[in-house]
Amino acid sequence: MLWLFLVLLRTRHGRTAASGRGQAKFSFAVALLLSIAVGYCYLNIYKDYGLSSREGLAAAKQAVIDAERARVIAAEQAAKEALGKEEAEKARLLAEADRHRVQAETEADKCGLYKIVRITDKYELRIADNEAAVKIKNEKASNSRFTYYQSIDPSETVRITACSGDWREVNIIEPSYLGDVGGWVPAAVLDFSDKPPGPRVYSERDFYWEADTSSYKNQIVPIVNRISRETPGCSEIDTGSLARSPTQGSAADPVFFVTCGSPPRAFNVWFRPTDSR
């Protein structure tokens, strides 16, 4: 229609009047055909809805609108259901993780994980949780003639760092200068009883008894416990240090000593069996 209007304007100029009239006729014909086509489409729009006449056209249009609305509602409902399933799965996974955490804590408590315990018997540390596993070599003590292995004994305190069946991985806590020593041991050599308050009470099994000390067990043990209670700096005694002095005392009146504390502040305390009286 705009084209037809512009053509009519050109017909008002003399030099272009003839060609303008021709274009105007052509434009009018095109406009007329377009109008007829639009009218035909409008009159026959019912066919787009699968109808044979215009009767029911309004209902068909409404049905299309209702179908689209239902599709949108169904999509929203599906999205909500998917979100609900996702949230439910998250909740399930969190509950499962919490169950595993509680189970792990229960197992850790049962095996004594991270608990600090004492030793009931000497044992050479292994690199794995079985008796046949390789022993851990004591590189500092070993030489070309003799091979020594890292071990724990009743004079030491350890922390449990891992559990596997009847085996525990431990790391020495006391004495502190052996803090880098650790390995696997049977749970049977560990004392899981709660540590009593106050100074440690030593017993015969805490010491290595040599030929020149074993006959004085009944006197030495109470003396060492008294030293632990009464001597400053001796709350922890290296029971592996118990020995007879080679320079003090005599055959009839022997002198023994134990080492208190840890390097570099470790020191020896000497005593006689008669001190127990």
Side-chain angles (χ1 to χ4, degrees):
M1 297 300 291
L2 179 60
W3 182 27
L4 177 61
F5 176 74
L6 293 175
V7 170
L8 292 174
L9 288 178
R10 291 182 62 191
T11 59
R12 301 183 62 181
H13 295 80
R15 298 177 61 179
T16 59
S19 62
R21 283 194 295 272
Q23 292 182 10
K25 291 179 181 180
F26 177 75
S27 300
F28 179 78
V30 171
L32 180 61
L33 289 174
L34 290 174
S35 298
I36 293 172
V38 170
Y40 178 81
C41 291
Y42 175 75
L43 292 174
N44 293 275
I45 192 172
Y46 62 87
K47 294 181 179 180
D48 294 340
Y49 294 90
L51 302 175
S52 59
S53 67
R54 294 184 63 83
E55 293 181 5
L57 179 60
K61 289 182 177 180
Q62 186 62 45
V64 170
I65 294 173
D66 293 342
E68 179 62 18
R69 183 181 294 113
R71 186 191 66 79
V72 172
I73 293 174
E76 292 177 349
Q77 183 64 29
K80 289 181 180 179
E81 291 177 357
L83 181 61
K85 290 180 179 179
E86 182 179 354
E87 294 296 330
E89 180 64 12
K90 287 182 179 179
R92 186 190 69 79
L93 292 175
L94 288 173
E96 185 71 10
D98 189 60
R99 185 180 67 80
H100 284 303
R101 178 186 59 78
V102 172
Q103 183 179 4
E105 290 177 352
T106 301
E107 290 297 322
D109 184 65
K110 182 179 178 181
C111 82
L113 189 62
Y114 306 127
K115 187 175 183 178
I116 295 176
V117 298
R118 293 176 177 172
I119 315 303
T120 61
D121 198 6
K122 182 179 180 180
Y123 191 83
E124 293 175 332
L125 302 172
R126 267 55 171 185
I127 65 171
D129 55 348
N130 62 84
E131 192 71 34
V134 176
K135 299 177 183 179
I136 298 176
K137 184 179 179 181
N138 186 333
E139 298 291 349
K140 295 180 180 179
S142 298
N143 52 49
S144 59
R145 295 182 57 191
F146 301 100
T147 299
Y148 296 94
Y149 299 98
Q150 299 285 11
S151 64
I152 56 173
D153 61 63
S155 68
E156 299 163 348
T157 303
V158 299
R159 174 182 280 115
I160 298 173
T161 57
C163 304
S164 178
D166 294 330
W167 286 73
R168 303 292 182 268
E169 186 180 37
V170 299
N171 189 79
I172 295 178
I173 300 300
E174 291 292 342
S176 58
Y177 63 85
L178 294 177
D180 60 337
V181 177
W184 287 91
V185 301
V189 303
L190 303 178
D191 180 4
F192 288 90
S193 61
D194 293 332
K195 187 176 181 180
R200 175 178 173 180
V201 178
Y202 297 93
S203 62
E204 288 185 13
R205 70 180 184 180
D206 293 326
F207 300 90
Y208 293 119
W209 299 103
E210 303 290 349
D212 58 357
T213 59
S214 60
S215 59
Y216 295 94
K217 289 180 181 180
N218 293 337
Q219 293 94 336
I220 289 176
V221 172
I223 292 175
V224 171
N225 278 313
R226 190 174 69 191
I227 291 173
S228 176
R229 292 192 307 270
E230 300 176 1
T231 305
C234 282
S235 59
E236 290 293 337
I237 293 176
D238 180 3
T239 55
S241 66
L242 174 64
R244 181 171 178 172
S245 173
T247 60
Q248 299 185 40
S250 62
D253 185 25
V255 173
F256 302 91
F257 68 91
V258 289
T259 301
C260 295
S262 303
R265 298 183 178 181
F267 60 94
N268 293 330
V269 177
W270 283 265
F271 60 91
R272 287 180 166 82
T274 54
D275 293 341
S276 63
R277 298 173 184 171

